[in-house]
Amino acid sequence: MILGIGTDLANIDRIAGVLDRFGDRFRNRVFTEAEQRKAEARADSVGTYAKRWAAKEACSKALGTGLRMGIAWKDMAVTNLPTGQPVMHVTGWAAERLASMTPPGHESIIHVTLTDDHPWAQAFVVIEARPVEAALPA
């Protein structure tokens, strides 16, 4: 069952301006160390930051809160599988909110997809609840 969906469209040039203006203050407030390493290792670091910004916005919408109610930017983080597929991780208040949304006997899965086409970066998040399968007797 679907628990929440969220999407966000971010302007890459706007994120570039914020990075130019606030630099590490912005990076350290919004992005985890792993996200910063990933972005700085890429040729298009600003596009990478913009996609992750959009992913955090989309995730907060899927959680049904937006960026309010105690959720912090770093409570949501994007990493990538070896295949390149993005994965959303939640901690802190975002993890508490996710747990409160998840029905008993279910586990939650956060699906995220990212794309960009300058000057736009977009993210789409779907939070799914799947029944937990009971362990089979040996």
Side-chain angles (χ1 to χ4, degrees):
M1 89 180 65
I2 303 299
L3 299 179
I5 60 171
T7 188
D8 192 66
L9 185 65
N11 185 291
I12 296 169
D13 294 332
R14 180 174 160 260
I15 299 298
V18 173
L19 285 164
D20 287 344
R21 185 169 177 197
F22 297 104
D24 287 341
R25 184 171 151 208
F26 172 70
R27 279 185 202 87
N28 294 332
R29 179 173 177 238
V30 175
F31 302 102
T32 65
E33 289 182 22
E35 288 174 312
Q36 291 180 49
R37 280 193 306 274
K38 181 71 162 185
E40 296 302 326
R42 291 201 167 161
D44 181 17
S45 64
V46 176
T48 301
Y49 281 123
K51 285 185 282 190
R52 278 152 176 73
W53 170 278
K56 291 167 187 272
E57 287 273 7
C59 185
S60 71
K61 292 170 186 174
L63 289 168
T65 64
L67 287 162
R68 58 184 178 89
M69 296 175 56
I71 200 166
W73 288 104
K74 287 180 165 182
D75 285 350
M76 302 164 288
V78 178
T79 62
N80 295 85
L81 297 176
T83 60
Q85 177 183 349
V87 178
M88 178 65 71
H89 306 274
V90 292
T91 58
W93 193 91
E96 292 173 22
R97 171 69 179 161
L98 181 60
S100 74
M101 294 170 58
T102 306
H106 289 72
E107 63 181 343
S108 57
I109 297 99
I110 302 174
H111 304 276
V112 61
T113 187
L114 308 172
T115 190
D116 65 297
D117 187 8
H118 196 89
W120 303 107
Q122 184 177 31
F124 190 75
V125 171
V126 175
I127 302 176
E128 173 189 12
R130 291 185 190 162
V132 175
E133 295 183 24
L136 298 174

